[in-house]
């Protein structure tokens, strides 16, 4: 079986592409995976926060905006 290494950049790109395709729940799963893989990268937190805003989850958005600082 083929095993792929999880990569935060790939998760981010896939999440953003899914968001652009109006598949926000799937996008959030991938953007969340990017945060898990690279918690020290501010941009992954901003992407997830922006997606959370789009779903109306202000609490989650605020948390990730703070993490990005």
């Amino acid at each position: 079986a083929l095993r792929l290494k999880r990569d935060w950049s790939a998760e981010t790109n896939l999440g953003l592409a899914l968001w652009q395709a109006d598949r926000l729940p799937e996008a959030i799963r991938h953007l969340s995976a990017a945060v898990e893989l690279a918690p020290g990268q501010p941009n992954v937190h901003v992407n997830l926060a922006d997606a959370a805003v789009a779903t109306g989850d202000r609490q989650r958005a605020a948390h990730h905006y703070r993490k990005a600082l």
Side-chain angles (χ1 to χ4, degrees):
L2 178 64
R3 292 194 66 138
L4 299 176
K5 182 181 175 198
R6 292 180 66 207
D7 175 65
W8 71 268
S9 181
E11 293 286 356
T12 297
N13 290 336
L14 181 53
L16 294 174
L18 287 165
W19 186 1
Q20 198 168 35
D22 288 326
R23 294 168 59 181
L24 196 52
E26 292 172 271
I28 287 176
R29 282 197 302 273
H30 289 282
L31 295 172
S32 295
V35 167
E36 288 177 24
L37 293 167
Q41 292 287 336
N43 62 316
V44 297
H45 288 282
V46 170
N47 290 330
L48 183 52
D50 289 346
V53 167
T55 66
D57 190 344
R58 294 172 57 191
Q59 185 175 358
R60 186 177 194 179
H63 169 78
H64 287 287
Y65 284 135
R66 282 191 297 275
K67 289 284 194 176
L69 297 176

Short mmCIF file of all heavy atoms in Angstrom, two decimals:
data_model
loop_
_atom_site.label_atom_id
_atom_site.label_comp_id
_atom_site.label_asym_id
_atom_site.label_seq_id
_atom_site.Cartn_x
_atom_site.Cartn_y
_atom_site.Cartn_z
N ALA A 1 0.84 -1.19 0.00
CA ALA A 1 0.00 0.00 0.00
C ALA A 1 0.88 1.24 0.00
O ALA A 1 1.92 1.28 0.67
CB ALA A 1 -0.91 0.01 1.21
N LEU A 2 0.45 2.22 -0.72
CA LEU A 2 1.18 3.48 -0.81
C LEU A 2 0.89 4.32 0.41
O LEU A 2 -0.26 4.50 0.79
CB LEU A 2 0.74 4.23 -2.07
CG LEU A 2 1.36 5.60 -2.31
CD1 LEU A 2 2.85 5.47 -2.53
CD2 LEU A 2 0.70 6.26 -3.50
N ARG A 3 1.93 4.82 1.06
CA ARG A 3 1.77 5.69 2.22
C ARG A 3 2.40 7.03 1.88
O ARG A 3 3.55 7.10 1.49
CB ARG A 3 2.45 5.09 3.43
CG ARG A 3 1.75 3.84 3.92
CD ARG A 3 2.23 3.48 5.27
NE ARG A 3 1.80 4.55 6.17
CZ ARG A 3 1.31 4.33 7.37
NH1 ARG A 3 1.20 3.11 7.82
NH2 ARG A 3 0.95 5.32 8.15
N LEU A 4 1.62 8.07 2.06
CA LEU A 4 2.11 9.41 1.80
C LEU A 4 2.43 10.10 3.11
O LEU A 4 1.70 9.95 4.10
CB LEU A 4 1.06 10.23 1.04
CG LEU A 4 0.67 9.70 -0.32
CD1 LEU A 4 -0.44 10.56 -0.91
CD2 LEU A 4 1.86 9.66 -1.25
N LYS A 5 3.52 10.85 3.11
CA LYS A 5 3.88 11.63 4.28
C LYS A 5 2.96 12.85 4.36
O LYS A 5 2.76 13.55 3.37
CB LYS A 5 5.33 12.07 4.18
CG LYS A 5 5.81 12.85 5.36
CD LYS A 5 7.25 13.27 5.20
CE LYS A 5 7.63 14.16 6.36
NZ LYS A 5 8.82 14.94 6.09
N ARG A 6 2.40 13.08 5.54
CA ARG A 6 1.55 14.25 5.72
C ARG A 6 2.43 15.50 5.73
O ARG A 6 3.47 15.52 6.38
CB ARG A 6 0.76 14.14 7.01
CG ARG A 6 -0.27 13.03 6.96
CD ARG A 6 -1.04 12.90 8.24
NE ARG A 6 -1.86 14.08 8.44
CZ ARG A 6 -2.24 14.52 9.63
NH1 ARG A 6 -1.89 13.88 10.72
NH2 ARG A 6 -2.98 15.60 9.74
N ASP A 7 1.98 16.51 5.03
CA ASP A 7 2.77 17.73 4.86
C ASP A 7 1.85 18.93 5.10
O ASP A 7 0.78 19.03 4.49
CB ASP A 7 3.34 17.75 3.45
CG ASP A 7 4.06 19.03 3.13
OD1 ASP A 7 5.09 19.31 3.77
OD2 ASP A 7 3.57 19.75 2.23
N TRP A 8 2.27 19.84 5.99
CA TRP A 8 1.42 20.98 6.32
C TRP A 8 1.14 21.87 5.12
O TRP A 8 0.05 22.40 4.96
CB TRP A 8 1.99 21.79 7.49
CG TRP A 8 3.24 22.56 7.18
CD1 TRP A 8 4.52 22.14 7.33
CD2 TRP A 8 3.31 23.88 6.66
NE1 TRP A 8 5.39 23.12 6.94
CE2 TRP A 8 4.67 24.21 6.53
CE3 TRP A 8 2.36 24.83 6.31
CZ2 TRP A 8 5.10 25.44 6.05
CZ3 TRP A 8 2.79 26.06 5.82
CH2 TRP A 8 4.16 26.35 5.71
N SER A 9 2.11 22.01 4.25
CA SER A 9 1.93 22.86 3.07
C SER A 9 0.90 22.25 2.12
O SER A 9 0.03 22.96 1.59
CB SER A 9 3.28 23.04 2.36
OG SER A 9 3.13 23.87 1.23
N ALA A 10 0.97 20.95 1.92
CA ALA A 10 0.00 20.28 1.06
C ALA A 10 -1.40 20.35 1.68
O ALA A 10 -2.39 20.57 0.96
CB ALA A 10 0.40 18.82 0.84
N GLU A 11 -1.49 20.15 2.99
CA GLU A 11 -2.79 20.25 3.67
C GLU A 11 -3.36 21.66 3.52
O GLU A 11 -4.57 21.82 3.28
CB GLU A 11 -2.66 19.89 5.15
CG GLU A 11 -2.31 18.45 5.42
CD GLU A 11 -3.45 17.47 5.20
OE1 GLU A 11 -4.59 17.89 4.90
OE2 GLU A 11 -3.21 16.27 5.36
N THR A 12 -2.51 22.66 3.64
CA THR A 12 -2.95 24.05 3.47
C THR A 12 -3.47 24.29 2.06
O THR A 12 -4.56 24.84 1.86
CB THR A 12 -1.80 25.04 3.78
OG1 THR A 12 -1.44 24.89 5.16
CG2 THR A 12 -2.20 26.47 3.52
N ASN A 13 -2.69 23.88 1.08
CA ASN A 13 -3.08 24.10 -0.31
C ASN A 13 -4.39 23.39 -0.64
O ASN A 13 -5.26 23.96 -1.31
CB ASN A 13 -1.98 23.65 -1.26
CG ASN A 13 -0.77 24.55 -1.19
OD1 ASN A 13 -0.86 25.70 -0.81
ND2 ASN A 13 0.38 24.02 -1.55
N LEU A 14 -4.53 22.15 -0.16
CA LEU A 14 -5.77 21.42 -0.41
C LEU A 14 -6.94 22.10 0.30
O LEU A 14 -8.03 22.26 -0.27
CB LEU A 14 -5.63 19.97 0.04
CG LEU A 14 -6.84 19.07 -0.18
CD1 LEU A 14 -7.33 19.11 -1.63
CD2 LEU A 14 -6.52 17.65 0.26
N GLY A 15 -6.72 22.52 1.53
CA GLY A 15 -7.77 23.21 2.27
C GLY A 15 -8.23 24.47 1.57
O GLY A 15 -9.43 24.74 1.45
N LEU A 16 -7.29 25.26 1.09
CA LEU A 16 -7.64 26.50 0.39
C LEU A 16 -8.36 26.22 -0.92
O LEU A 16 -9.31 26.93 -1.29
CB LEU A 16 -6.39 27.36 0.18
CG LEU A 16 -5.73 27.89 1.46
CD1 LEU A 16 -4.43 28.61 1.13
CD2 LEU A 16 -6.68 28.79 2.24
N ALA A 17 -7.93 25.18 -1.63
CA ALA A 17 -8.60 24.82 -2.89
C ALA A 17 -10.03 24.35 -2.62
O ALA A 17 -10.96 24.72 -3.37
CB ALA A 17 -7.80 23.73 -3.60
N LEU A 18 -10.22 23.57 -1.58
CA LEU A 18 -11.57 23.11 -1.24
C LEU A 18 -12.45 24.28 -0.83
O LEU A 18 -13.64 24.33 -1.18
CB LEU A 18 -11.50 22.07 -0.12
CG LEU A 18 -10.96 20.70 -0.55
CD1 LEU A 18 -10.59 19.88 0.66
CD2 LEU A 18 -11.98 19.98 -1.42
N TRP A 19 -11.89 25.22 -0.09
CA TRP A 19 -12.65 26.40 0.32
C TRP A 19 -13.10 27.18 -0.92
O TRP A 19 -14.24 27.59 -1.03
CB TRP A 19 -11.79 27.26 1.24
CG TRP A 19 -12.48 28.44 1.85
CD1 TRP A 19 -13.78 28.83 1.70
CD2 TRP A 19 -11.90 29.39 2.72
NE1 TRP A 19 -14.04 29.96 2.42
CE2 TRP A 19 -12.89 30.33 3.06
CE3 TRP A 19 -10.63 29.54 3.25
CZ2 TRP A 19 -12.65 31.40 3.90
CZ3 TRP A 19 -10.39 30.61 4.09
CH2 TRP A 19 -11.39 31.53 4.43
N GLN A 20 -12.19 27.34 -1.85
CA GLN A 20 -12.51 28.07 -3.09
C GLN A 20 -13.60 27.36 -3.87
O GLN A 20 -14.38 27.99 -4.59
CB GLN A 20 -11.24 28.21 -3.93
CG GLN A 20 -11.30 29.27 -4.98
CD GLN A 20 -9.94 29.55 -5.56
OE1 GLN A 20 -9.11 28.66 -5.71
NE2 GLN A 20 -9.69 30.80 -5.89
N ALA A 21 -13.68 26.02 -3.72
CA ALA A 21 -14.70 25.23 -4.40
C ALA A 21 -15.99 25.12 -3.57
O ALA A 21 -16.85 24.29 -3.87
CB ALA A 21 -14.16 23.83 -4.70
N ASP A 22 -16.12 25.97 -2.55
CA ASP A 22 -17.30 25.98 -1.67
C ASP A 22 -17.51 24.66 -0.94
O ASP A 22 -18.64 24.24 -0.72
CB ASP A 22 -18.57 26.36 -2.44
CG ASP A 22 -18.58 27.83 -2.82
OD1 ASP A 22 -18.07 28.64 -2.03
OD2 ASP A 22 -19.11 28.16 -3.88
N ARG A 23 -16.43 24.03 -0.57
CA ARG A 23 -16.48 22.79 0.21
C ARG A 23 -15.84 23.07 1.57
O ARG A 23 -14.85 22.47 1.95
CB ARG A 23 -15.78 21.67 -0.55
CG ARG A 23 -16.54 21.31 -1.84
CD ARG A 23 -15.77 20.44 -2.79
NE ARG A 23 -15.38 19.17 -2.19
CZ ARG A 23 -14.68 18.26 -2.84
NH1 ARG A 23 -14.31 18.46 -4.09
NH2 ARG A 23 -14.33 17.13 -2.24
N LEU A 24 -16.45 24.01 2.28
CA LEU A 24 -15.87 24.54 3.51
C LEU A 24 -15.66 23.50 4.61
O LEU A 24 -14.60 23.51 5.24
CB LEU A 24 -16.68 25.73 4.01
CG LEU A 24 -16.02 26.62 5.04
CD1 LEU A 24 -14.64 27.09 4.62
CD2 LEU A 24 -16.90 27.82 5.33
N PRO A 25 -16.60 22.60 4.88
CA PRO A 25 -16.33 21.61 5.94
C PRO A 25 -15.08 20.76 5.66
O PRO A 25 -14.27 20.53 6.56
CB PRO A 25 -17.60 20.74 5.96
CG PRO A 25 -18.67 21.64 5.43
CD PRO A 25 -17.97 22.49 4.38
N GLU A 26 -14.90 20.36 4.42
CA GLU A 26 -13.71 19.60 4.05
C GLU A 26 -12.46 20.48 4.14
O GLU A 26 -11.40 20.03 4.58
CB GLU A 26 -13.83 19.05 2.63
CG GLU A 26 -14.87 17.98 2.46
CD GLU A 26 -15.05 17.64 1.00
OE1 GLU A 26 -15.89 18.29 0.34
OE2 GLU A 26 -14.35 16.73 0.53
N ALA A 27 -12.61 21.73 3.73
CA ALA A 27 -11.49 22.66 3.79
C ALA A 27 -11.02 22.83 5.22
O ALA A 27 -9.81 22.80 5.49
CB ALA A 27 -11.91 24.01 3.21
N ILE A 28 -11.95 22.97 6.14
CA ILE A 28 -11.58 23.16 7.55
C ILE A 28 -10.84 21.94 8.09
O ILE A 28 -9.90 22.08 8.87
CB ILE A 28 -12.82 23.53 8.38
CG1 ILE A 28 -13.21 24.98 8.04
CG2 ILE A 28 -12.55 23.37 9.86
CD1 ILE A 28 -14.46 25.47 8.71
N ARG A 29 -11.25 20.75 7.67
CA ARG A 29 -10.53 19.55 8.12
C ARG A 29 -9.06 19.59 7.69
O ARG A 29 -8.16 19.27 8.47
CB ARG A 29 -11.20 18.29 7.57
CG ARG A 29 -12.44 17.90 8.34
CD ARG A 29 -12.85 16.46 8.07
NE ARG A 29 -13.10 16.17 6.67
CZ ARG A 29 -14.27 16.35 6.05
NH1 ARG A 29 -15.30 16.84 6.71
NH2 ARG A 29 -14.41 16.05 4.79
N HIS A 30 -8.81 20.01 6.45
CA HIS A 30 -7.43 20.06 5.96
C HIS A 30 -6.66 21.23 6.56
O HIS A 30 -5.47 21.10 6.87
CB HIS A 30 -7.41 20.09 4.44
CG HIS A 30 -7.82 18.78 3.85
ND1 HIS A 30 -6.97 17.70 3.78
CD2 HIS A 30 -9.00 18.37 3.35
CE1 HIS A 30 -7.61 16.67 3.25
NE2 HIS A 30 -8.84 17.06 2.98
N LEU A 31 -7.32 22.36 6.75
CA LEU A 31 -6.65 23.49 7.39
C LEU A 31 -6.33 23.17 8.85
O LEU A 31 -5.27 23.57 9.36
CB LEU A 31 -7.50 24.75 7.26
CG LEU A 31 -7.70 25.25 5.82
CD1 LEU A 31 -8.71 26.38 5.79
CD2 LEU A 31 -6.38 25.67 5.18
N SER A 32 -7.20 22.43 9.50
CA SER A 32 -6.93 21.98 10.88
C SER A 32 -5.75 21.03 10.91
O SER A 32 -4.92 21.08 11.82
CB SER A 32 -8.16 21.30 11.47
OG SER A 32 -9.22 22.21 11.61
N ALA A 33 -5.67 20.16 9.92
CA ALA A 33 -4.53 19.24 9.83
C ALA A 33 -3.23 20.01 9.65
O ALA A 33 -2.21 19.66 10.25
CB ALA A 33 -4.73 18.25 8.67
N ALA A 34 -3.26 21.07 8.87
CA ALA A 34 -2.08 21.90 8.68
C ALA A 34 -1.63 22.51 10.00
O ALA A 34 -0.43 22.56 10.31
CB ALA A 34 -2.33 22.99 7.64
N VAL A 35 -2.59 22.95 10.82
CA VAL A 35 -2.27 23.52 12.13
C VAL A 35 -1.64 22.45 13.03
O VAL A 35 -0.67 22.71 13.73
CB VAL A 35 -3.52 24.13 12.79
CG1 VAL A 35 -3.29 24.42 14.26
CG2 VAL A 35 -3.93 25.41 12.06
N GLU A 36 -2.17 21.24 12.99
CA GLU A 36 -1.61 20.15 13.79
C GLU A 36 -0.18 19.84 13.38
O GLU A 36 0.67 19.55 14.23
CB GLU A 36 -2.45 18.88 13.63
CG GLU A 36 -3.79 18.94 14.31
CD GLU A 36 -4.61 17.69 14.04
OE1 GLU A 36 -4.02 16.62 13.74
OE2 GLU A 36 -5.84 17.77 14.14
N LEU A 37 0.08 19.89 12.08
CA LEU A 37 1.41 19.55 11.57
C LEU A 37 2.42 20.68 11.73
O LEU A 37 3.63 20.42 11.80
CB LEU A 37 1.30 19.15 10.09
CG LEU A 37 0.55 17.85 9.83
CD1 LEU A 37 0.24 17.73 8.34
CD2 LEU A 37 1.37 16.66 10.31
N ALA A 38 1.95 21.92 11.76
CA ALA A 38 2.87 23.06 11.84
C ALA A 38 2.30 24.13 12.76
O ALA A 38 1.99 25.25 12.31
CB ALA A 38 3.13 23.62 10.44
N PRO A 39 2.16 23.84 14.04
CA PRO A 39 1.55 24.81 14.95
C PRO A 39 2.33 26.11 15.10
O PRO A 39 1.77 27.11 15.53
CB PRO A 39 1.46 24.05 16.27
CG PRO A 39 2.50 22.98 16.17
CD PRO A 39 2.58 22.62 14.72
N GLY A 40 3.60 26.10 14.73
CA GLY A 40 4.42 27.30 14.84
C GLY A 40 4.38 28.20 13.62
O GLY A 40 5.01 29.26 13.60
N GLN A 41 3.63 27.81 12.59
CA GLN A 41 3.52 28.61 11.37
C GLN A 41 2.31 29.54 11.48
O GLN A 41 1.16 29.07 11.46
CB GLN A 41 3.34 27.69 10.14
CG GLN A 41 4.53 26.85 9.80
CD GLN A 41 5.64 27.68 9.18
OE1 GLN A 41 5.40 28.74 8.61
NE2 GLN A 41 6.85 27.20 9.29
N PRO A 42 2.53 30.84 11.62
CA PRO A 42 1.40 31.76 11.79
C PRO A 42 0.37 31.70 10.66
O PRO A 42 -0.83 31.79 10.91
CB PRO A 42 2.05 33.14 11.85
CG PRO A 42 3.47 32.88 12.24
CD PRO A 42 3.81 31.53 11.67
N ASN A 43 0.83 31.51 9.43
CA ASN A 43 -0.11 31.53 8.30
C ASN A 43 -1.13 30.40 8.35
O ASN A 43 -2.25 30.57 7.89
CB ASN A 43 0.63 31.54 6.97
CG ASN A 43 1.48 30.31 6.75
OD1 ASN A 43 2.18 29.87 7.66
ND2 ASN A 43 1.46 29.77 5.55
N VAL A 44 -0.77 29.25 8.93
CA VAL A 44 -1.75 28.17 9.00
C VAL A 44 -2.87 28.53 9.98
O VAL A 44 -4.03 28.18 9.76
CB VAL A 44 -1.13 26.79 9.33
CG1 VAL A 44 -0.15 26.35 8.26
CG2 VAL A 44 -0.49 26.75 10.69
N HIS A 45 -2.52 29.25 11.03
CA HIS A 45 -3.54 29.70 11.98
C HIS A 45 -4.44 30.75 11.34
O HIS A 45 -5.66 30.73 11.55
CB HIS A 45 -2.88 30.25 13.25
CG HIS A 45 -2.28 29.19 14.10
ND1 HIS A 45 -3.03 28.38 14.92
CD2 HIS A 45 -1.00 28.80 14.26
CE1 HIS A 45 -2.24 27.54 15.55
NE2 HIS A 45 -0.99 27.77 15.16
N VAL A 46 -3.87 31.66 10.58
CA VAL A 46 -4.67 32.69 9.91
C VAL A 46 -5.63 32.05 8.91
O VAL A 46 -6.81 32.42 8.85
CB VAL A 46 -3.77 33.74 9.23
CG1 VAL A 46 -4.59 34.67 8.34
CG2 VAL A 46 -3.00 34.53 10.27
N ASN A 47 -5.16 31.08 8.15
CA ASN A 47 -6.04 30.41 7.18
C ASN A 47 -7.21 29.74 7.88
O ASN A 47 -8.36 29.86 7.45
CB ASN A 47 -5.26 29.37 6.37
CG ASN A 47 -4.29 29.99 5.41
OD1 ASN A 47 -4.50 31.09 4.92
ND2 ASN A 47 -3.20 29.30 5.14
N LEU A 48 -6.92 29.03 8.97
CA LEU A 48 -7.99 28.36 9.71
C LEU A 48 -8.93 29.38 10.35
O LEU A 48 -10.15 29.20 10.35
CB LEU A 48 -7.41 27.41 10.75
CG LEU A 48 -8.42 26.58 11.53
CD1 LEU A 48 -9.39 25.83 10.62
CD2 LEU A 48 -7.70 25.62 12.46
N ALA A 49 -8.38 30.45 10.87
CA ALA A 49 -9.21 31.50 11.46
C ALA A 49 -10.13 32.12 10.42
O ALA A 49 -11.32 32.33 10.68
CB ALA A 49 -8.33 32.57 12.10
N ASP A 50 -9.60 32.40 9.25
CA ASP A 50 -10.43 32.97 8.18
C ASP A 50 -11.57 32.01 7.80
O ASP A 50 -12.70 32.44 7.58
CB ASP A 50 -9.58 33.28 6.95
CG ASP A 50 -8.64 34.46 7.14
OD1 ASP A 50 -8.80 35.22 8.11
OD2 ASP A 50 -7.74 34.61 6.29
N ALA A 51 -11.26 30.73 7.72
CA ALA A 51 -12.29 29.73 7.40
C ALA A 51 -13.33 29.66 8.52
O ALA A 51 -14.52 29.53 8.26
CB ALA A 51 -11.65 28.37 7.17
N ALA A 52 -12.88 29.77 9.76
CA ALA A 52 -13.81 29.76 10.89
C ALA A 52 -14.75 30.96 10.83
O ALA A 52 -15.94 30.83 11.12
CB ALA A 52 -13.04 29.72 12.21
N VAL A 53 -14.23 32.11 10.44
CA VAL A 53 -15.08 33.29 10.27
C VAL A 53 -16.16 33.01 9.22
O VAL A 53 -17.33 33.34 9.40
CB VAL A 53 -14.24 34.53 9.87
CG1 VAL A 53 -15.14 35.67 9.39
CG2 VAL A 53 -13.38 34.98 11.02
N ALA A 54 -15.75 32.36 8.15
CA ALA A 54 -16.70 32.06 7.07
C ALA A 54 -17.83 31.14 7.52
O ALA A 54 -18.92 31.17 6.94
CB ALA A 54 -15.97 31.44 5.88
N THR A 55 -17.59 30.34 8.57
CA THR A 55 -18.64 29.46 9.09
C THR A 55 -19.39 30.10 10.25
O THR A 55 -20.33 29.51 10.77
CB THR A 55 -18.07 28.12 9.58
OG1 THR A 55 -17.23 28.35 10.72
CG2 THR A 55 -17.32 27.39 8.49
N GLY A 56 -18.94 31.28 10.67
CA GLY A 56 -19.58 31.95 11.80
C GLY A 56 -19.04 31.54 13.15
O GLY A 56 -19.58 31.92 14.18
N ASP A 57 -17.97 30.75 13.17
CA ASP A 57 -17.38 30.29 14.43
C ASP A 57 -16.36 31.33 14.92
O ASP A 57 -15.15 31.18 14.76
CB ASP A 57 -16.71 28.92 14.23
CG ASP A 57 -16.28 28.27 15.52
OD1 ASP A 57 -16.21 28.96 16.56
OD2 ASP A 57 -16.01 27.05 15.49
N ARG A 58 -16.88 32.37 15.53
CA ARG A 58 -16.04 33.49 15.96
C ARG A 58 -15.07 33.09 17.06
O ARG A 58 -13.95 33.61 17.12
CB ARG A 58 -16.91 34.65 16.39
CG ARG A 58 -17.70 35.23 15.22
CD ARG A 58 -18.72 36.24 15.64
NE ARG A 58 -18.08 37.32 16.38
CZ ARG A 58 -18.75 38.24 17.05
NH1 ARG A 58 -20.06 38.22 17.08
NH2 ARG A 58 -18.11 39.19 17.69
N GLN A 59 -15.48 32.20 17.93
CA GLN A 59 -14.60 31.77 19.02
C GLN A 59 -13.37 31.04 18.48
O GLN A 59 -12.25 31.31 18.89
CB GLN A 59 -15.36 30.88 20.00
CG GLN A 59 -14.55 30.49 21.22
CD GLN A 59 -15.37 29.71 22.22
OE1 GLN A 59 -16.56 29.49 22.05
NE2 GLN A 59 -14.73 29.28 23.29
N ARG A 60 -13.60 30.12 17.56
CA ARG A 60 -12.48 29.40 16.95
C ARG A 60 -11.59 30.37 16.16
O ARG A 60 -10.36 30.27 16.20
CB ARG A 60 -13.00 28.30 16.03
CG ARG A 60 -11.93 27.41 15.47
CD ARG A 60 -12.55 26.30 14.63
NE ARG A 60 -11.59 25.25 14.36
CZ ARG A 60 -11.87 24.16 13.68
NH1 ARG A 60 -13.09 23.96 13.22
NH2 ARG A 60 -10.95 23.26 13.46
N ALA A 61 -12.22 31.29 15.47
CA ALA A 61 -11.45 32.27 14.69
C ALA A 61 -10.57 33.10 15.61
O ALA A 61 -9.37 33.26 15.33
CB ALA A 61 -12.40 33.16 13.90
N ALA A 62 -11.12 33.60 16.70
CA ALA A 62 -10.34 34.43 17.63
C ALA A 62 -9.16 33.64 18.19
O ALA A 62 -8.05 34.18 18.31
CB ALA A 62 -11.23 34.94 18.76
N HIS A 63 -9.40 32.38 18.53
CA HIS A 63 -8.32 31.54 19.07
C HIS A 63 -7.16 31.45 18.08
O HIS A 63 -6.00 31.63 18.46
CB HIS A 63 -8.87 30.14 19.38
CG HIS A 63 -7.81 29.14 19.70
ND1 HIS A 63 -7.20 29.09 20.94
CD2 HIS A 63 -7.23 28.17 18.95
CE1 HIS A 63 -6.29 28.12 20.92
NE2 HIS A 63 -6.31 27.55 19.73
N HIS A 64 -7.47 31.18 16.83
CA HIS A 64 -6.39 31.01 15.85
C HIS A 64 -5.77 32.33 15.41
O HIS A 64 -4.57 32.36 15.11
CB HIS A 64 -6.88 30.16 14.67
CG HIS A 64 -7.02 28.72 15.04
ND1 HIS A 64 -5.94 27.90 15.23
CD2 HIS A 64 -8.11 27.98 15.36
CE1 HIS A 64 -6.34 26.72 15.61
NE2 HIS A 64 -7.67 26.74 15.70
N TYR A 65 -6.52 33.41 15.41
CA TYR A 65 -5.90 34.71 15.16
C TYR A 65 -4.89 35.03 16.26
O TYR A 65 -3.80 35.52 15.99
CB TYR A 65 -6.94 35.82 15.04
CG TYR A 65 -7.70 35.84 13.73
CD1 TYR A 65 -9.08 35.99 13.71
CD2 TYR A 65 -7.03 35.72 12.50
CE1 TYR A 65 -9.79 36.05 12.52
CE2 TYR A 65 -7.73 35.76 11.32
CZ TYR A 65 -9.10 35.92 11.32
OH TYR A 65 -9.78 35.96 10.14
N ARG A 66 -5.25 34.74 17.50
CA ARG A 66 -4.32 34.98 18.62
C ARG A 66 -3.07 34.10 18.47
O ARG A 66 -1.95 34.56 18.73
CB ARG A 66 -4.98 34.72 19.96
CG ARG A 66 -5.88 35.83 20.43
CD ARG A 66 -6.31 35.68 21.87
NE ARG A 66 -7.11 34.49 22.11
CZ ARG A 66 -8.43 34.42 21.95
NH1 ARG A 66 -9.11 35.48 21.56
NH2 ARG A 66 -9.07 33.29 22.19
N LYS A 67 -3.25 32.86 18.07
CA LYS A 67 -2.10 31.96 17.89
C LYS A 67 -1.15 32.46 16.80
O LYS A 67 0.04 32.19 16.84
CB LYS A 67 -2.58 30.54 17.53
CG LYS A 67 -3.22 29.80 18.65
CD LYS A 67 -2.15 29.33 19.61
CE LYS A 67 -2.70 28.30 20.55
NZ LYS A 67 -1.64 27.77 21.42
N ALA A 68 -1.70 33.18 15.84
CA ALA A 68 -0.87 33.67 14.72
C ALA A 68 0.03 34.82 15.14
O ALA A 68 1.02 35.11 14.45
CB ALA A 68 -1.77 34.11 13.57
N LEU A 69 -0.27 35.46 16.23
CA LEU A 69 0.52 36.62 16.67
C LEU A 69 1.84 36.22 17.30
O LEU A 69 2.02 35.24 17.87
CB LEU A 69 -0.28 37.47 17.64
CG LEU A 69 -1.55 38.08 17.05
CD1 LEU A 69 -2.32 38.81 18.14
CD2 LEU A 69 -1.20 39.02 15.92
#
